[in-house]
Amino acid sequence: MKKTWKGMATASVIAMAAALPAAAETTIRLSTYVNEADIRYDGFVHFAELVAEKTGGSVKVEIFPSATLHGWSEGVDAVQGGVSDMSWIPADERLPCYRVTSLYPTAVNLDGQIEMDAAYAALVKDEAANVNLVPVFNSNYSYDQEWWFEEPIADLGDLQGKQVRSIGPLVSMMIETWGGAPVFVAPKEVFQSAERGVVDGINMGVATYSSWKLWDVMPYMVNASLFYGNIQYMMNKEKFDAMSADEQSAVMAAAKETEEWLKPRYEDWVDLRVGTAVLRGGGQAVSISQDQRMALIDGVQGKWDEEVNAACGQEMADSIRALFAQHAP
């Protein structure tokens, strides 16, 4: 049988199509407040590559940095409404237990952080499902959530009326307990707020602080290590459930592998940024003593536990505190 050029062309097209990677059937729009200078952005790129590899290209992750899709407090609304498919989730009242425990005043040993964060995510999973969310990616807040001021202060526990940037209800309560006034400022707006004197101090993660070049406006850091912190990235549950079981497993496996890949790189990157700020002469980093650290934690933990008990229920509250106790220094 004679082959026509049309037949040969069709066969060539079929062969070429078979050789190409599969087109993505699902696209996950991942929103993050971190910018592209931040090591955590590299982590999201790694996550996206792993998802594509593990799903054979059927799931694609698109990354939107620098809060380009929505503001700091709008994570739940953005994911529920389809503005993004996965986002950081702040202290939202629709997640009452997560709201008061995603930042919790306690000292933790970070050697087992990956396991601790996974256990915490499992504890708040049902609450997240109630508002159509699935916890996917754990953050590294425990390592670097600290305090900055323009000049040295004698005592973090005596803020003497200073206005200090807060990221949520726990931090606001701490600032008020220590005699300061909490002020909410979104990450992208902190530089201008500090430069213009809107705030006298800043509570923020070192990575975010360094990425937004804030050492130039408030160079004095108090390293206190007062928190367990896990501001999670959660995905729209309907979109997650619409993926196949294999795709769901691939996304969750990619998230865990990324956390393991990112942890040492993140810690090294943070340490280098602090060291660079100090060595160049513009920054100072002072660590409080262990006794001061525990006194500051003890001074707020009992009061905060009343909030935790009310929001989580006694059984869940006890389970979360037991998890932190397992990972105490």
Side-chain angles (χ1 to χ4, degrees):
M1 183 177 181
K2 184 178 179 181
K3 290 185 178 179
T4 66
W5 67 270
K6 289 184 178 180
M8 288 188 289
T10 301
S12 297
V13 170
I14 292 171
M16 289 174 63
L20 292 173
E25 298 174 5
T26 300
T27 298
I28 299 172
R29 291 160 55 87
L30 190 160
S31 174
T32 179
Y33 61 90
V34 306
N35 63 26
E36 293 176 75
D38 194 311
I39 187 64
R40 288 169 294 180
Y41 180 83
D42 294 347
F44 291 124
V45 170
H46 187 74
F47 171 65
E49 291 171 348
L50 285 177
V51 168
E53 176 188 323
K54 291 177 179 295
T55 64
S58 67
V59 179
K60 176 183 178 182
V61 177
E62 291 184 349
I63 306 164
F64 294 84
S66 303
T68 51
L69 292 183
H70 58 84
W72 170 266
S73 301
E74 298 158 8
V76 174
D77 289 325
V79 175
Q80 288 181 339
V83 174
S84 60
D85 301 308
M86 186 187 302
S87 175
W88 79 91
I89 301 298
D92 193 289
E93 292 184 351
R94 285 163 288 188
L95 296 162
C97 188
Y98 171 83
R99 179 176 181 268
V100 296
T101 56
S102 55
L103 276 179
Y104 180 82
T106 188
V108 293
N109 181 347
L110 295 178
D111 289 346
Q113 180 184 346
I114 301 297
E115 295 76 18
M116 176 173 55
D117 287 349
Y120 176 78
L123 285 170
V124 299
K125 181 180 178 180
D126 288 346
E127 181 178 79
N130 289 337
V131 289
N132 197 37
L133 298 173
V134 176
V136 175
F137 198 97
N138 296 296
S139 72
N140 302 69
Y141 264 61
S142 303
Y143 186 69
D144 76 335
Q145 190 73 18
E146 298 301 352
W147 309 82
W148 282 265
F149 302 90
E150 188 174 356
E151 297 176 348
I153 63 169
D155 182 3
L156 182 61
D158 182 15
L159 292 175
Q160 300 181 5
K162 286 182 172 60
Q163 297 191 93
V164 182
R165 185 256 181 175
S166 170
I167 67 164
L170 167 62
V171 177
S172 293
M173 187 270 283
M174 294 174 111
I175 293 167
E176 290 171 344
T177 300
W178 302 335
V183 180
F184 175 78
V185 184
K188 288 176 66 174
E189 300 166 3
V190 173
F191 187 98
Q192 289 183 333
S193 297
E195 193 174 44
R196 296 173 181 175
V198 175
V199 294
D200 305 306
I202 296 170
N203 172 260
M204 187 178 258
V206 180
T208 309
Y209 197 87
S210 300
S211 296
W212 293 106
K213 303 186 185 303
L214 286 158
W215 287 98
D216 294 332
V217 290
M218 283 197 180
Y220 185 83
M221 184 182 92
V222 179
N223 177 27
S225 300
L226 303 177
F227 303 100
Y228 169 76
N230 187 355
I231 306 301
Q232 294 183 15
Y233 283 75
M234 299 190 190
M235 184 172 172
N236 181 288
K237 189 174 186 299
E238 290 179 5
K239 186 147 189 174
F240 183 84
D241 290 345
M243 296 190 296
S244 70
D246 287 343
E247 288 172 335
Q248 292 173 9
S249 296
V251 168
M252 300 305 286
K256 183 176 186 297
E257 289 178 30
T258 299
E259 291 166 14
E260 294 168 345
W261 178 89
L262 182 59
K263 184 178 188 294
R265 291 169 173 82
Y266 180 87
E267 293 174 357
D268 288 347
W269 189 88
V270 167
D271 291 347
L272 179 61
R273 291 323 180 265
V274 175
T276 299
V278 172
L279 287 173
R280 75 181 185 184
Q284 300 178 65
V286 176
S287 295
I288 65 174
S289 71
Q290 182 65 8
D291 287 345
Q292 290 175 306
R293 178 192 187 196
M294 296 313 299
L296 288 172
I297 291 172
D298 291 344
V300 296
Q301 192 180 82
K303 182 178 179 181
W304 192 245
D305 276 340
E306 295 176 12
E307 301 280 344
V308 173
N309 293 342
C312 301
Q314 193 67 48
E315 184 177 353
M316 175 64 82
D318 288 344
S319 295
I320 290 174
R321 285 189 288 261
L323 172 64
F324 298 151
Q326 291 170 15
H327 294 271

